[in-house]
Structures are given as structure tokens and as C-alpha cells.
């Protein structure tokens, strides 16, 4: 398999050298005396949807984001400040609630004659969502007197986190239109951000997330988690399109054309992120790597692997496209070679993040690495678990907690489907948008971060995440919508007729 002709030269060279080996020692073998002392703010997180708690197409249950789960384990949840999103399932569109609405009305299967009625019902649900956020109670963003501890906003890439403020989000808002045919919550990203960023005073309105964290740092931050960069490559699978960044990658308008950043451009952006982090007073800093985008089931590998021992399939298309029905002339897709190029670029991103942690530790800063990219490789069902020949020498399966392994079937990284009897047939680690974790999977992220924080000397009420609590809260792993069969036909229907992915990912 050869890389595409438009692949940047540094990616070509890195691909020839082989994939990056994950680093599961958060200290990278560099000893640092942990910082000690009291801090008013025990946890602050700066990130995107993965830190905000996005799930099944919406930011809704923000009390179950991984930072909120960590705060719960710290015994500090009552003091942990994070945004809330009400209305019919949050922003921009809650797929789980949509499917349950259809299931309640039409049952677990939709007959051919019911399809027009189902389409009408779905549009009615989306109209309700749109009205709430554009003209109803959700159209007024609350002001709050204290800065949030979770400063994460879905859809943000590195440049967004460095530059966007409440003032810039307000300026970007325009008068919404009540469109009968295209019910998209307009400016949903800005609406979400206005519930995160400080805006109590004029000075606060011009604060970025990093500025807000720096302000909290004046009173002391115990642990700062920065988890950014996924959206500098994620659109390659949400749009199934590979477009490398150009030299105008810093331009807010121009960068919308790009789905993956050249490693040199990512490094330039991340250098600015590191500068912003250094201005924040925190005893411990945890930097998270960027996940490989082809692990998420939003893009499903088709056919057999390109060759024995390969990580890649010849094509990646939507998860509801069956192998026997796929036509590369008709169906949107990326190739295995493109997936390899994007994964290799992410390896270079992560080498840079790893080096940043190492450099900080060498000068005595208590910075740590959370290699979530490596963690996700260890749960990759079709890449490694089902293909022994593809497993690298470092690979071992991730040891899930007992509360998860006791579930039947044990959750995996495939797209979630129902068994038609009230339970789950497959999946369970990714929610119904095929990108973001389920509640129990957010718990896994939280547990790994708790381990790192404990190593740094952070004191917890309990260092073991309460997975029994998370299983009780996780409706997808326990009782998923039963109209979601193993062909994912309803999801495919909703995408074709309702533009589901467009509404969720802003395509």
C-alpha cells in the first residue's frame, strides 16, 4: 500500500519509520518532586467535546464528563463548576432521544408505509430542539459569577481554544431562521461556548479558555488537564474527506476547508498552546495525546485487511454501509492509504506532545502524559482484538473494570446495536454518534487520569472510579433503543433523509 501523492513529506518519512509506540508511563521515566500544598481549585480542564462530555450527538449530561467523574472521586463535585444544557436533549441533536422518540411511536421496526410518518415525527422533534435553542428558553445564555472549572467546548481545534472568547462568539451570532426543511440549531457551537466561557464583566468577555484558567490559577490550581487536538484531524472521518492544511491554517475562515493539519502546522499551533499553559499556575499538568481517528466506528473498514498483519482496510465508509453493497464510485469513503497517512500525522502530533511533557519534567515541572491514543488502540476491536496478526509487540488488551466486564455482551469499540430483546448486541464503548464515548467509557478515561493524578500525589476520597454508579446511569449499555438493529438501517435512514451527521458535526 502506497501513501497518497498529496501526503506531506514528513508524514511519508514517519510512515517509513513505522508507527509510534505509545507511552503508558505518564512520567516518561523522568523523576520530578511532586508539587505539594493546598489549592483552591482542585481540577481545571481545557478541551473539546471529549472533555465537555459530548455523547450521541449532543452535549447534555455534562455531570458525566470525565472531569466531572474525577471531581466526584475527589469528593469535590459540589464545588466543581461546569456548564449545563437543558431542553430536549442538549445541543445540537441528541440521537438517543430521537431514536427513543421514534421507538415510542412506531415500535422497534418501522414498516414501509410508516416511513413518511416517521420522517414527520423526526422533523417535529428537531423543530422542538431548534425552537428551544433559537427562540425559547435556551436562546438566552446565563451569566455566572464564577469561572467554570470545565472550560471545554465541542468542535474546538487548537486555534479555537487559543482565540475564541465570549465576545467573539456573541459577535459571530446571527439572527436564526425558522427553517421548516433544514432544522439545524444555528450557531450551536457559539451557543454552547457562551455557557462555558466567562462573560460576567467586559474583561471576562474577552478571556479565552486559557485566560480563564490563568485567572483561576491566581487562587491556585491543583491539576490542570489539557486535552486538545482531536479536531485537527477528526473531520477526515466525520466528513470522509482528507484535505491537508495550507499555510493559512491560522485563519478562522480559511481553516474550515481543512480536515487534517500538516504536522508542522499542528506543531506551530501546539507551541502556542504550550505558551498559554505556562502562564497558568497549576501544581500538576496533564497533556493528553490525540486519538487515532480510524478507531472510532463512525468510519467502518470494509472488506478484509489490505494484507496480512496490516492495521488497515481498503476503504472506510459509514458504518451502515455493508461490504456487499459498497460501491466506491457512489459511496462516500476514504481509502486505507489515506487512513494510514492521517494516523501517521497523528503519531507526529503525539510525539510532539510527548516531547513537551519530557521537556517540562526535565526542568522540574510536574507535567504528565496521558496517552489516550495508546489506550484506544488497546480496545480496537477490528484493528487488533479480532486480528492477531496485526498486533504490534507492545500491544496487550486493556483490562476493563469488573462492572464493565460483567455486562453482557462485554462492551467493545464497534458501533452500538440492539439485540431486539431490550439489550445490546454489539458496541458499548462509543455512543450513537460513532465518535464520542458512552458513560462507562468516559469512566475509563477518568480512571486512567485518576491513576496519573494519584501518582502525582493528589488525594482522592476514592482512587477507584465508581463504575457501578456509571453503569446505572448509562442507558446505552443497559437498554439501548431497540430500533437500532445490527444493520444500523435507521441511523443510515436518518442521515440520508434528515442530514443527521450534518446536524451533529456541522458538515
Amino acid at each position: 500500500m502506497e501513501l497518497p501523492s498529496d501526503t506531506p513529506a514528513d508524514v511519508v518519512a514517519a510512515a517509513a519509520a513505522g508507527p509510534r509506540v505509545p507511552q503508558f508511563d505518564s512520567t516518561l521515566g523522568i523523576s520530578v518532586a511532586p508539587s505539594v500544598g493546598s489549592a483552591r481549585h482542585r481540577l481545571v480542564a481545557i478541551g473539546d467535546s471529549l472533555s465537555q462530555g459530548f455523547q450521541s450527538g449532543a452535549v447534555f449530561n455534562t455531570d458525566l464528563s470525565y472531569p466531572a467523574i474525577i471531581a466526584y472521586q475527589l469528593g469535590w463535585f459540589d464545588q466543581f463548576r461546569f456548564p449545563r444544557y437543558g431542553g430536549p436533549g442538549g445541543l445540537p441533536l441528541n440521537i438517543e432521544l430521537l431514536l427513543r422518540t421514534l421507538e415510542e411511536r412506531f415500535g422497534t421496526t418501522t414498516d414501509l408505509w410508516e416511513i413518511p410518518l416517521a420522517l414527520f415525527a423526526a422533523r417535529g422533534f428537531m423543530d422542538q430542539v431548534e425552537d428551544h435553542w433559537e427562540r425559547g428558553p435556551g436562546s438566552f445564555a446565563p451569566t455566572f459569577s464564577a469561572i467554570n472549572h470545565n472550560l471545554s467546548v465541542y468542535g474546538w481545534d487548537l486555534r479555537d481554544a487559543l482565540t475564541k472568547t465570549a465576545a467573539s462568539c456573541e459577535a459571530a451570532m446571527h439572527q436564526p431562521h425558522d427553517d421548516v426543511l433544514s432544522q439545524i440549531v444555528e450557531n450551536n457551537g457559539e451557543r454552547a461556548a457562551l455557557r462555558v466561557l466567562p462573560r460576567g464583566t467586559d474583561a471576562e468577555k474577552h478571556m479565552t479558555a486559557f485566560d480563564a484558567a490563568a485567572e483561576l490559577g491566581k487562587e491556585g490550581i491543583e491539576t490542570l488537564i489539557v486535552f486538545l487536538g482531536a479536531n485537527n484531524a477528526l473531520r477526515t472521518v466525520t466528513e470522509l474527506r482528507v484535505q491537508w492544511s495550507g499555510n493559512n491554517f491560522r485563519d478562522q475562515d480559511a481553516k474550515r476547508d481543512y480536515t487534517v493539519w500538516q504536522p508542522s502546522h499542528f506543531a506551530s499551533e501546539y507551541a502556542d498552546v504550550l505558551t498559554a499553559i505556562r502562564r497558568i499556575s497549576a501544581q500538576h499538568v496533564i497533556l493528553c495525546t490525540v486519538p487515532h481517528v480510524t478507531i472510532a466506528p463512525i468510519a467502518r473498514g470494509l472488506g478484509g485487511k489490505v494484507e496480512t498483519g496490516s492495521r488497515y482496510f481498503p476503504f472506510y465508509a459509514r458504518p451502515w454501509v455493508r461490504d456487499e453493497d459498497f460501491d466506491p464510485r457512489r459511496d462516500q469513503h476514504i481509502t486505507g492509504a489515506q487512513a494510514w497517512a492521517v494516523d501517521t500525522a497523528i503519531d507526529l502530533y503525539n510525539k510532539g506532545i510527548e516531547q513537551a511533557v519530557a521537556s517540562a519534567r526535565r526542568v522540574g515541572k510536574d507535567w504528565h502524559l496521558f496517552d489516550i491514543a495508546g489506550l484506544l488502540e488497546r480496545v480496537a476491536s477490528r484493528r487488533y482484538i479480532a486480528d492477531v496478526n496485526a498486533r504490534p509487540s507492545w500491544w496487550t488488551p486493556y483490562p476493563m473494570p469488573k462492572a464493565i466486564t460483567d455486562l453482557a455482551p462485554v462492551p467493545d469499540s464497534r458501533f452500538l446495536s440492539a439485540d431486539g430483546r431490550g439489550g445490546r448486541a454489539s458496541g458499548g464503548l462509543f455512543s450513537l454518534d460513532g465518535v464520542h464515548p458512552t458513560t462507562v467509557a468516559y469512566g475509563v478515561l477518568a480512571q486512567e487520569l485518576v491513576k496519573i493524578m494519584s501518582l502525582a500525589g493528589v488525594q482522592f476520597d476514592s482512587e477507584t472510579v465508581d463504575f457501578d454508579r456509571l453503569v446505572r446511569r448509562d442507558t446505552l449499555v443497559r437498554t439501548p433503543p431497540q430500533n437500532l438493529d445490527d444493520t444500523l438501517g435507521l441511523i443510515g435512514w436518518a442521515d440520508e433523509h434528515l442530514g443527521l451527521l450534518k446536524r451533529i458535526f456541522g458538515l
Side-chain angles (χ1 to χ4, degrees), residues 217-463:
K218 293 178 181 178
E219 298 176 325
I221 295 172
E222 186 173 26
T223 303
L224 171 67
I225 299 172
V226 179
F227 188 178
L228 287 166
N231 286 309
N232 291 83
L234 182 63
R235 286 170 57 202
T236 56
V237 290
T238 59
E239 296 186 23
L240 291 175
R241 179 175 67 90
V242 175
Q243 180 63 57
W244 295 95
S245 59
N247 290 331
N248 55 354
F249 62 92
R250 289 189 180 88
D251 185 276
Q252 284 284 358
D253 292 324
K255 73 182 179 70
R256 293 172 186 164
D257 293 335
Y258 307 131
T259 64
V260 56
W261 266 235
Q262 294 190 44
S264 59
H265 295 163
F266 185 94
S268 177
E269 296 276 65
Y270 209 85
D272 291 343
V273 166
L274 294 172
T275 297
I277 292 172
R278 294 185 189 105
R279 298 192 185 109
I280 302 169
S281 178
Q283 293 175 13
H284 320 288
V285 174
I286 302 175
L287 301 187
C288 304
T289 58
V290 176
H292 292 122
V293 293
T294 48
I295 300 297
I298 188 61
R300 178 177 174 271
L302 297 170
K305 297 286 187 70
V306 293
E307 59 186 20
T308 301
S310 175
R311 294 179 292 170
Y312 300 106
F313 295 85
F315 300 102
Y316 291 81
R318 294 296 175 224
W320 48 84
V321 176
R322 297 182 299 181
D323 289 37
E324 59 268 28
D325 297 332
F326 175 69
D327 183 344
R329 297 166 299 181
R330 178 195 63 213
D331 295 311
Q332 193 176 12
H333 67 278
I334 62 172
T335 67
Q338 288 176 310
W340 179 26
V342 173
D343 273 358
T344 304
I346 291 172
D347 279 347
L348 291 175
Y349 301 171
N350 291 337
K351 285 181 179 179
I353 296 171
E354 180 184 333
Q355 290 166 4
V357 172
S359 296
R361 293 190 68 82
R362 290 191 186 103
V363 296
K365 295 182 180 295
D366 194 26
W367 287 26
H368 291 258
L369 182 76
F370 175 30
D371 202 335
I372 186 174
L375 186 156
L376 289 176
E377 294 280 323
R378 296 176 71 189
V379 302
S381 296
R382 302 184 72 226
R383 175 172 287 193
Y384 293 134
I385 294 177
D387 187 354
V388 176
N389 293 320
R391 297 175 183 175
S393 59
W394 60 263
W395 190 91
T396 57
Y398 180 81
M400 289 290 176
K402 185 176 184 299
I404 294 182
T405 58
D406 282 348
L407 294 168
V410 177
D412 59 42
S413 69
R414 292 176 294 168
F415 205 101
L416 190 141
S417 66
D419 62 8
R421 302 184 300 274
R424 181 173 38 84
S426 67
L429 294 180
F430 286 90
S431 64
L432 294 177
D433 56 33
V435 171
H436 297 93
T438 55
T439 296
V440 296
Y442 274 126
V444 171
L445 301 188
Q447 184 64 80
E448 290 301 311
L449 285 159
V450 166
K451 291 177 183 177
I452 293 172
M453 292 167 67
S454 298
L455 182 65
V458 175
Q459 298 297 309
F460 287 84
D461 278 5
S462 173
E463 294 182 5

Side-chain angles (χ1 to χ4, degrees), residues 51-115:
S51 300
Q52 197 179 12
F54 200 94
Q55 188 178 101
S56 292
V59 57
F60 183 49
N61 290 326
T62 48
D63 63 319
L64 295 173
S65 67
Y66 77 76
I69 295 170
I70 295 171
Y72 183 91
Q73 298 302 135
L74 285 167
W76 194 64
F77 183 79
D78 290 344
Q79 288 76 48
F80 184 68
R81 296 190 292 268
F82 57 93
R84 270 83 166 178
Y85 299 87
L91 272 171
L93 179 64
N94 191 316
I95 302 173
E96 180 182 359
L97 188 54
L98 171 61
L99 294 191
R100 292 192 189 279
T101 299
L102 294 176
E103 182 182 20
E104 181 179 355
R105 181 163 179 181
F106 301 101
T108 59
T109 60
T110 304
D111 295 327
L112 184 64
W113 66 270
E114 292 179 310
I115 288 178

